[in-house]
């Protein structure tokens, strides 16, 4: 895998909107996220069309492509953060210049709908991309420190490190009320014990499944899948989507599932019921309720990077990222 150079203090980070537009963010949110990235030592710049907004709260395909290409083309830009998720980053996939991107490897980070474009870049170029905070995530007040710590470990340091549970987590609409947050203790949970090493693929499940049958789908064989979904899923749709992904993946070495939002009603009972259906999951390490996805805070992990998983002691160590 082609691992981009790590970010350094003084580097320029370009903010682009390959999915929803930055126009949905408040002025205060844009200001605070910018200031916090600058406090980490980065120079923050924005794509020309990052705040263009249409009927679907996005920009045209042509303008989104232009911003992504310009971010990879510009030698001053060392990292690229997405504004936020959404629904339509897969619209860009046939029009991306993968040769340009592969010849200019740099950190590309976001989550949720960004899974489509990040996974396609990794599949087509061999470049590691990252599932982690959006630009908008840096406007969160409480819980940001833990999230930022693992953002820095994954994107700024060369040394191997372990992903470890946060102390507390939240499923509230923090962007509506920063002062009255509701947290509860974090517990990563073991479905099946075991140990494995392999490359990470995955992130948002329903978005990754959009790539099935296209040239943009990564080869998931022998991988360790990291998957999550948001409150728009329900147990039945999650079960269907997981089954589809496992059938495409074939043999995998491990499964790590991000924590579900309460609105999904994907409870412990539902998770065990769904996972029990799959014989392959009875012989590999499986963890769930882990700190990534649509609850806060989240860690950053490399799509295409290498990980050592030991579910017995909830150990996740990144080896090549």
């Amino acid at each position: 895998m082609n691992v981009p150079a790590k970010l350094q203090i003084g580097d320029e980070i370009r903010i682009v909107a390959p999915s929803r537009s930055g126009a949905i963010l408040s002025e205060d949110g844009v200001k605070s996220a910018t200031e916090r990235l600058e406090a980490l030592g980065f120079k923050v710049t924005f794509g020309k069309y990052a705040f263009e907004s249409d009927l679907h709260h996005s920009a045209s395909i042509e303008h989104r492509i232009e911003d992504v290409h310009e971010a990879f083309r510009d030698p001053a830009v060392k990292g690229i953060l997405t504004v936020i998720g959404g629904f339509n980053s897969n619209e860009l996939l046939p029009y991306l210049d993968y040769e340009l991107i592969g010849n200019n490897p740099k950190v590309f980070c976001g989550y949720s709908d960004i899974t489509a474009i990040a996974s396609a870049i990794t599949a087509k170029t061999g470049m590691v991309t990252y599932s982690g905070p959006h630009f908008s995530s840096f406007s969160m007040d409480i819980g940001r420190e833990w999230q930022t710590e693992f953002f820095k470990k994954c994107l700024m340091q060369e040394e191997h490190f372990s992903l470890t549970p946060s102390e507390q987590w939240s499923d509230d609409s923090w962007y509506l009320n920063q002062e009255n947050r509701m947290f509860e203790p974090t517990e990563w949970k073991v479905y099946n014990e075991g140990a494995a090493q392999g490359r990470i693929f995955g992130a948002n499940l329903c978005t990754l499944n959009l790539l099935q049958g296209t040239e943009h789908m990564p080869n998931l064989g022998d991988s360790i899948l990291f998957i999550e979904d948001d409150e728009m899923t329900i147990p039945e749709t999650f079960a269907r989507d997981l089954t589809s992904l496992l059938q495409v993946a074939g043999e995998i070495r491990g499964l790590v599932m991000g924590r579900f939002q309460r609105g999904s009603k994907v409870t412990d009972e539902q998770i065990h019921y769904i996972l029990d259906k799959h014989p392959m999951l009875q012989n590999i390490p499986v963890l769930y309720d882990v700190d990534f996805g649509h609850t806060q805070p989240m860690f950053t992990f490399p799509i295409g990077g290498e990980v050592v998983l030991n579910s017995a002691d909830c150990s996740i160590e990144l080896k090549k990222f």
Side-chain angles (χ1 to χ4, degrees):
M1 298 301 294
N2 182 1
V3 180
K6 298 299 181 181
L7 296 175
Q8 299 180 16
I9 292 174
D11 280 351
E12 178 179 341
I13 292 181
R14 179 68 51 82
I15 312 303
V16 299
S19 189
R20 277 192 167 181
S21 167
I24 71 170
L25 306 181
S26 69
E27 289 186 14
D28 286 344
V30 172
K31 182 175 182 290
S32 63
T34 301
E35 290 175 346
R36 283 161 179 167
L37 285 166
E38 289 174 343
L40 295 178
F42 300 122
K43 176 185 177 183
V44 178
T45 58
F46 294 87
K48 182 178 179 180
Y49 301 105
F51 294 93
E52 181 180 281
S53 186
D54 60 16
L55 185 63
H56 286 179
H57 309 289
S58 186
S60 68
I61 291 174
E62 293 80 6
H63 287 172
R64 284 180 282 155
I65 287 289
E66 184 176 333
D67 274 358
V68 171
H69 285 171
E70 180 56 29
F72 277 101
R73 184 183 296 114
D74 189 340
V77 174
K78 305 303 181 184
I80 304 168
L81 279 185
T82 54
V83 166
I84 200 165
F87 298 92
N88 62 349
S89 75
N90 67 324
E91 292 177 343
L92 308 187
L93 305 188
Y95 311 107
L96 288 170
D97 185 339
Y98 295 101
E99 183 176 2
L100 167 69
I101 293 170
N103 289 338
N104 296 276
K106 54 190 69 178
V107 166
F108 181 89
C109 182
Y111 75 103
S112 191
D113 188 61
I114 304 305
T115 298
I117 187 171
S119 297
I121 287 172
T122 299
K124 296 287 285 185
T125 71
M127 185 184 86
V128 169
T129 55
Y130 298 91
S131 180
H134 297 303
F135 167 74
S136 56
S137 305
F138 285 89
S139 64
M140 183 173 67
D141 290 342
I142 305 172
R144 192 187 71 260
E145 292 81 3
W146 186 93
Q147 189 163 275
T148 301
E149 175 188 354
F150 282 94
F151 177 86
K152 291 166 63 177
K153 283 185 175 181
C154 192
L155 302 183
M156 298 184 73
Q157 76 173 41
E158 300 285 352
E159 297 82 9
H160 300 171
F161 70 96
S162 294
L163 297 166
T164 55
S166 61
E167 291 186 2
Q168 57 182 4
W169 69 277
S170 175
D171 183 28
D172 54 17
S173 299
W174 60 268
Y175 44 88
L176 298 179
N177 190 338
Q178 293 264 26
E179 296 181 0
N180 298 302
R181 303 286 307 278
M182 297 180 62
F183 288 88
E184 53 190 292
T186 296
E187 180 187 4
W188 292 6
K189 298 174 183 175
V190 179
Y191 170 76
N192 199 49
E193 293 187 358
Q197 182 169 345
R199 286 198 294 165
I200 301 173
F201 286 106
N204 186 250
L205 174 59
C206 66
T207 302
L208 182 62
N209 275 349
L210 297 175
L211 306 186
Q212 290 191 29
T214 76
E215 63 187 79
H216 307 105
M217 185 70 170
N219 181 353
L220 306 179
D222 289 326
S223 67
I224 295 179
L225 292 178
F226 279 44
I227 60 168
E228 57 85 18
D229 226 321
D230 63 20
E231 65 182 355
M232 295 179 70
T233 193
I234 59 174
E236 291 83 355
T237 57
F238 174 73
R240 178 174 63 181
D241 288 346
L242 176 64
T243 297
S244 181
L245 186 68
L246 292 177
Q247 289 173 352
V248 168
E251 295 295 325
I252 61 172
R253 297 182 182 181
L255 175 64
V256 180
M257 293 168 50
R259 192 166 38 230
F260 284 91
Q261 293 182 273
R262 297 297 190 203
S264 70
K265 295 183 171 54
V266 182
T267 61
D268 276 30
E269 180 184 20
Q270 290 283 355
I271 288 172
H272 280 257
Y273 174 75
I274 293 166
L275 298 183
D276 284 348
K277 294 182 177 185
H278 299 283
M280 73 166 68
L281 301 182
Q282 314 313 311
N283 301 306
I284 61 174
V286 180
L287 284 178
Y288 67 99
D289 275 7
V290 177
D291 284 296
F292 67 97
H294 286 73
T295 61
Q296 293 77 42
M298 73 182 77
F299 56 59
T300 303
F301 65 86
I303 297 173
E306 193 159 326
V307 66
V308 176
L309 169 66
N310 188 331
S311 60
D313 60 4
C314 294
S315 169
I316 304 175
E317 184 178 4
L318 294 183
K319 288 291 189 182
K320 187 176 181 182
F321 57 95

